[in-house]
Amino acid sequence: MPNIQHLSAGPTDTNASDRRVTETFLAGGTISVGDAVCFDSTQTGADRCLYVTSAINVAAATGTAFGYAQVAATAGDKVMVTVKGYHEAAKVANGTLNGNAIVTSGTVGRGTAYGAADVVPAFAVALEDAALNHGDVWVIGLFA
């Protein structure tokens, strides 16, 4: 029987499972490591789905995040994004607790715990209580 996935346990191995899915995009601006990202609607045509930018929940165009940046990037750089699975040290607001669903916040690139007034979909789940505005998360997989 073929091996359909790789599993290697270990607290220091952030790639411990093939269940993490990474996609490469182009940065539409400056993106920091751990930023929640969304499609860059300032682009035109299909480039709107090729470029990403740091998400912020103040406008519909940037409010729906789908993953977290694995590397820092500036405009035009390639940026690897966790679109499903484990992401270590994601930008998540303090007060986000283990098990909370995560949506974009009013701070650029940072997720926060889903609240009753939120209208954007949750894109991740906290795997620990956030500290120093960071925490490990499971990205749900809105990007297919």
Side-chain angles (χ1 to χ4, degrees):
M1 177 174 250
N3 183 10
I4 59 172
Q5 72 176 355
H6 165 77
L7 297 175
S8 63
T12 60
D13 185 3
T14 60
N15 296 306
S17 166
D18 285 340
R19 293 181 181 120
R20 177 165 126 168
V21 179
T22 298
E23 294 287 342
T24 303
F25 297 90
L26 296 177
T30 301
I31 297 173
S32 298
V33 174
D35 272 3
V37 297
C38 62
F39 289 125
D40 184 356
S41 64
T42 66
Q43 303 294 324
T44 59
D47 283 354
R48 289 177 287 211
C49 300
L50 174 62
Y51 286 80
V52 294
T53 188
S54 296
I56 183 169
N57 194 7
V58 296
T62 58
T64 304
F66 61 83
Y68 278 101
Q70 296 177 8
V71 296
T74 57
D77 289 347
K78 290 182 181 178
V79 58
M80 295 184 317
V81 176
T82 302
V83 296
K84 184 177 181 182
Y86 178 75
H87 188 93
E88 185 174 342
K91 289 187 179 176
V92 180
N94 289 338
T96 303
L97 303 176
N98 184 7
N100 284 159
I102 298 171
V103 296
T104 51
S105 73
T107 302
V108 174
R110 188 182 302 159
T112 192
Y114 181 86
D118 285 311
V119 294
V120 294
F123 70 98
V125 176
L127 296 175
E128 63 185 2
D129 296 351
L132 302 174
N133 290 313
H134 286 82
D136 297 348
V137 301
W138 179 268
V139 178
I140 295 170
L142 299 177
F143 180 87

